[in-house]
Amino acid sequence: MNDPNNFSFVDMTCSVPALSSEASLPEAALSGFYDWLARLSERAEAPSGCWVLADSQGKLLAAEGGAPAGELRERSAADDGSRDELAAFFRRFASHAFGVAGDFPFGEYRACGVPVQLRADNAPTALVFIAPPEVVSAIADRIGLLAFALEACCREAVKREEARKQSLLYEAAAQLHAKIDVDSVLSETLSFIRRVYPFADVELYLSQDRTSQLPVKLLNFQNIADDPCTQAFMSGKTVVQAGEDGAQPVVAVPLRGPQGVYGVMRLEFGSPPDADDLRLVASLADTAGSAFENARLYEQSNMLIHELQVINEITKRLTQSLKLSDIYQFASNELIHIFGAEFCCILELDTASRRMIVQASNLPAMFNEHFSIDYGFAGMVYKTQEPIIISDYTRNPKVKSKLMEITGSRSLIASPIIVGSEVRGAILVAHRIPNFFSYDNFKLLQVLSGHIGLAMSNASLHAEVRRMAVTDHLTGLYVRRYLDEQIAMQQRKDLCGTLVLIDVDNFKMINDTYGHQVGDRVLIQISSVIRSCIRETDIPVRWGGEELAVYLPQVRVDQALRVADRIRTQVAQVTDPRVTISCGLADWSKESERQAVEALFQRADVALYQAKEAGKNNIQIAR
């Protein structure tokens, strides 16, 4: 904690120490002086004249009563030699322990005075009475007793002010420790300072930037040597900077808690502060620092609880879906909501082309865009496997980014999607306001990207298992069960479709002559020909053994005939050893009554049998 007596006095502009005897009289002592005058005026024998307080250097501190008071203030503020003459006159009274009397240098007055102790540092202050000669003569013998009464009044006023400040400090401490919000702690600290020192200018500086409605500034660590606030933060001690040429002295007090220094309170006093003021401000800074730390820990714990709830909820939602497209879209929407972002892109690495593909985005212009793996911020996180945060893209746009440029975004957080030890994609979250994302957002995105990667991996594995379950391991074509399901589903929404049933002519002879391995190779070659001759929406199937099939949704039999003939022709050309195929076609339509799946299969099978009977290597259409 701050030692209230541990101050660093930094004079950056002049050689006068901040707490020298030239400092002004404390306000509490001046208040005691005016109390003393009020009490003195109530007495019947009160003398009529001007009472003056001047410091040990002769500087006028206060002048009240009679015509000389106004003249004294004017001469004290003048730039001619009369100010120095006046100062020399007052110094006489501060330096004589038993008092002295003499002619007033300006006008038909005399003066008498004695030194009094009104300051905490025991520097003498002159109490001077100026009046016509006969009045001064009457008061000269009693001025010592009056000075004693003045000292008592000032001590009483100082104690009263100290008690008021301590009461306010106790009240502030109770209020600060009752706060659990960082802004409330800072607001209460400012309120206390303004109540105790209403004429002081106060500012708060924090080491970390935060959004606040209060006049809070960020510490500048670029110019440590000339900045008392940065010095106070680095040293953990109160720093006092003396002013020059009328500039106000500056006090910088660190806001320090048990775990570290969090900021600095900067005050500009109207006059150099005394040690009591510095101790009070240091005590408040200690209290505010501890309360700030407690509030920040509470804020961080709430944020951590919220983040854990978010992570739990998004993980639960992600695992509910096993479709990659659904996962991408849900994750994109949730990330925008969680971070309050304006734009989000989720990119997936296509291992075949080695390019990043936008799989989800709330920006239509970005959807399904392809980028090289070294382009933009997605390329950066892919290469480094580390997340990044950009506070203001316009300040240093060395990395080109289509997302940032077409949206005008300035803030960005990005994270790689890592599955195992490999980067499978990237997440980009952007906003058009600079410095929008916090470091906590940055860390949370890193955690969420791991859960999104896990959901992607689960969905990919599920898709692979499903693919294997409906795929023939030799040819890569679908199995017959999948065809049954697909035709039944297509018939509920389509108007027509055609089934092409294919049989390899004399396939047993191929197996007997060349062996089953060659036979398998021929089937693979034919499967490749079939895939090259059909659309992506068509369904190629291994029917069983050497029999294959293709279902052509939304295709009439005359169109299917051309597809089947193209397959038949190419098979005869590319297979090695050369083989031919026979095809049987059967179609269905909404207008006909022939819609049952079993009936479609049977009719295609009959047509295939007819093709075999007709000499093979030909195509027959079911009637």
Side-chain angles (χ1 to χ4, degrees), residues 40-56:
L40 185 61
S41 65
E42 294 173 356
R43 300 175 64 90
E45 67 274 19
S48 177
C50 177
W51 290 99
V52 176
L53 288 180
D55 65 18
S56 60

Side-chain angles (χ1 to χ4, degrees), residues 57-58 83-93:
Q57 302 302 314
R83 180 174 62 180
D84 295 334
E85 185 180 355
L86 187 65
F89 176 73
F90 285 140
R91 277 199 298 271
R92 296 170 51 209
F93 299 100

